[in-house]
Amino acid sequence: MRTQVAIIGAGPAGLFLGHLLKRAGVDAVILERRDRAYVEGRVRAGVLEQVTVDLMERLDLGQRMRREGLVHGGTNLASDGDVFRIDMAELTGGSTVMVYGQQEVMKDLFDAAEARGVQIVFDAEDVHPQDIESDRPSVTWRENGVDKRLDCDFIAGCDGYHGVSRAAIPSDVLRTFERVYPFGWLGILAEVPPCDHELIYSNHERGFALASMRSPTRSRYYIQCGLDEKIEDWSDERFWDELCLRLGPEAGAKVIRGPSFEKSIAPLRSFVTEPMRHGRLFLAGDAAHIVPPTGAKGMNLAVSDVVMLSEALVEHFQDGSDAGVDHYSARALARVWKAERFSWWFTSLTHRFPDRDGFDRKMQVAELAYIKGSRAAQITLAENYVGLPLV
Ligand code: RFL
Ligand code: PHB
């Protein structure tokens, strides 16, 4: 088999890239280790930046999002139960975010991939990028026990944090930067109306809590938890009690309880790999970088990476110019690092750090009070939260 671009991974990065290339007339094949139900079933991101909303529209995938997604012009912070609103739309000259789950985005992308002939190979085992330093790279894998090989011009490693692409780059070329946080997020989904029409990010002495949603009838809630905690120890009742305490009396009183139908713990980390290209292999999305979810940036960064990568690849195939290909890593990393900074800062502001003392906690409370009273501070938060422009 031969194609122009072999894409490893059918998460948001790989699927958006597949659609972008298809639309531009560049040949691509996506190789995915799991099946569609698995990839679509993962409960993950909930907030889309304008960059992502724009891309959905540009790809004619925006119909259901426009109907079912929730446009949020504001978000809320809470400091020990005192909730205040950040009017993002007013502060940024009209920017908003869209609450529309990653699962819905994936469904729209998969449905359209079938309809438009975006090629995806599911259940591809033992996928490996080969000869990435040559001008004739390929990807090998096993399918139903049969060895397969795809020759290509370029490989896009969109296979997430645990994928094989990053590992194919020689270790003396790669530099990694990492911060592992001493806590995780315990998240639940429940078929109950949200406690507020917007999100609430709460800093509480007992730890961070986040009130989010998927729809007017479906809530997504998170609380900070220890890394050694077990899901089995968190009955729904215990979760709701702790959530209400951390959101404070006002917001907590509006929480409607119900049985959870999903409950999971995710660790928090900041991680960046440089460069995002080696030879004929490009990295995009979580394969190259991870942010803690506090800033709601992970999927949006995957999207901005592949917008840039598709531009570079189209320029190569259509104009015969490698300027974009050569600039991809630096261009993508410039945006990545700004999102890393914001996600790290917002995490540091809102979480309880077990190894820190009373002084640090006072600094958090003072900073939240400063943000509450300062338009300048609110603009800084708002322009980062809605997403910095793609340059
Ligand atoms: P993904 O989604 O991990 O997809 C990678 C795909 O590659 C496949 N794969 C392989 N395929 C072939 N061969 C191999 N060897 C392979 N190894 C892996 C995998 O099966 C998978 O299908 O990476 P991608 O595409 O870069 O997308 C990244 C996003 O999924 C991620 O950043 C977000 O979910 C992060 N995130 C959030 N992002 C936001 O923008 N807004 C949010 O509100 C938000 N909230 C979150 C989040 C992530 C969370 N968790 C659980 C990590 C909330 C949480 C709790
Ligand atoms: C979510 O709804 O899953 C969500 C929302 C905002 C975040 C992270 C996750 O910052």
Side-chain angles (χ1 to χ4, degrees):
M1 267 170 92
R2 182 168 169 84
T3 190
Q4 288 175 304
V5 183
I7 301 172
I8 305 179
L15 273 185
F16 272 118
L17 181 62
H19 276 281
L20 281 162
L21 295 178
K22 180 83 189 173
R23 179 146 292 214
V26 174
D27 246 13
V29 176
I30 306 174
L31 301 165
E32 165 60 49
R33 184 172 56 164
R34 312 297 294 251
D35 60 16
R36 172 175 169 169
Y38 174 86
V39 180
E40 209 177 292
R42 293 178 310 176
V43 181
R44 287 180 144 203
V47 178
L48 312 185
E49 290 178 352
Q50 198 61 44
V51 171
T52 305
V53 171
D54 288 348
L55 181 59
M56 293 283 283
E57 295 291 359
R58 183 144 66 93
L59 291 169
D60 291 322
L61 292 169
Q63 245 184 356
R64 200 163 66 93
M65 177 184 71
R66 241 176 288 134
R67 219 172 41 237
E68 297 175 14
L70 308 170
V71 176
H72 283 195
T75 196
N76 299 282
L77 296 187
S79 182
D80 282 331
D82 173 30
V83 182
F84 59 97
R85 183 167 186 267
I86 307 291
D87 188 341
M88 299 182 303
E90 191 272 322
L91 291 159
T92 59
S95 295
T96 56
V97 295
M98 175 79 82
V99 173
Y100 190 64
Q102 180 165 331
Q103 287 177 292
E104 309 309 321
V105 175
M106 295 308 289
K107 181 175 188 329
D108 295 340
L109 285 165
F110 276 128
D111 284 350
E114 267 175 36
R116 298 173 190 179
V118 173
Q119 279 190 77
I120 309 172
V121 176
F122 289 104
D123 299 311
E125 295 168 57
D126 212 10
V127 174
H128 281 291
Q130 312 277 2
D131 301 317
I132 59 171
E133 289 174 349
S134 79
D135 55 7
R136 304 184 58 162
S138 63
V139 180
T140 54
W141 73 99
R142 216 172 38 255
E143 203 178 318
N144 299 323
V146 181
D147 288 332
K148 302 266 181 160
R149 173 189 161 126
L150 178 63
D151 294 312
C152 55
D153 297 300
F154 293 103
I155 302 170
C158 300
D159 47 353
Y161 181 66
H162 299 287
V164 290
S165 298
R166 191 173 66 247
I169 301 179
S171 55
D172 58 341
V173 173
L174 272 192
R175 294 185 68 197
T176 61
F177 303 85
E178 188 170 33
R179 167 80 30 106
V180 178
Y181 300 89
F183 42 73
W185 277 17
L186 169 61
I188 66 159
L189 270 174
E191 208 58 42
V192 290
C195 67
D196 193 280
H197 68 289
E198 290 169 342
L199 273 59
I200 305 174
Y201 291 86
S202 176
N203 174 319
H204 190 275
E205 211 173 352
R206 297 175 66 90
F208 171 80
L210 169 60
S212 181
M213 66 195 72
R214 288 293 175 274
S215 75
T217 57
R218 183 171 287 189
S219 299
R220 177 76 164 151
Y221 289 110
Y222 298 97
I223 55 173
Q224 172 185 352
C225 66
L227 285 171
D228 51 356
E229 300 211 38
K230 295 192 174 56
I231 301 261
E232 309 83 79
D233 295 335
W234 283 93
S235 64
D236 284 358
E237 202 185 345
R238 182 177 172 209
F239 182 94
W240 291 117
D241 286 346
E242 187 64 30
L243 175 77
C244 289
L245 270 179
R246 295 188 191 182
L247 289 176
E250 195 192 323
K254 288 192 251 158
V255 169
I256 300 172
R257 303 181 181 211
S260 69
F261 61 91
E262 202 268 348
K263 200 183 271 167
S264 53
I265 294 181
L268 265 66
R269 126 184 10 250
S270 299
F271 173 88
V272 182
T273 288
E274 294 185 355
M276 286 171 60
R277 173 206 175 185
H278 182 68
R280 296 263 171 163
L281 171 68
F282 300 93
L283 300 178
D286 280 12
H289 42 73
I290 296 286
V291 282
T294 325
K297 293 275 170 268
M299 181 167 71
N300 295 298
L301 275 185
V303 165
S304 58
D305 284 356
V306 297
V307 166
M308 294 178 197
L309 181 53
S310 68
E311 285 171 8
L313 291 169
V314 170
E315 201 178 303
H316 170 91
F317 289 112
Q318 286 179 358
D319 309 338
S321 161
D322 276 345
V325 161
D326 290 339
H327 189 47
Y328 165 71
S329 176
R331 187 180 173 209
L333 282 166
R335 191 167 195 275
V336 165
W337 275 115
K338 288 182 195 155
E340 289 283 347
R341 187 208 66 81
F342 175 68
S343 304
W344 159 82
W345 169 78
F346 203 24
T347 304
S348 308
L349 176 69
T350 50
H351 288 66
R352 182 169 174 273
F353 285 74
D355 50 344
R356 297 200 189 155
D357 60 14
F359 183 84
D360 293 297
R361 167 94 184 113
K362 286 285 184 193
M363 289 299 103
Q364 288 183 334
V365 172
E367 187 162 4
L368 283 161
Y370 167 62
I371 294 169
K372 183 178 177 183
S374 163
R375 183 175 168 82
Q378 290 186 13
I379 291 175
T380 299
L381 195 160
E383 72 174 355
N384 280 280
Y385 191 85
V386 299
L388 295 173
L390 226 154
V391 285

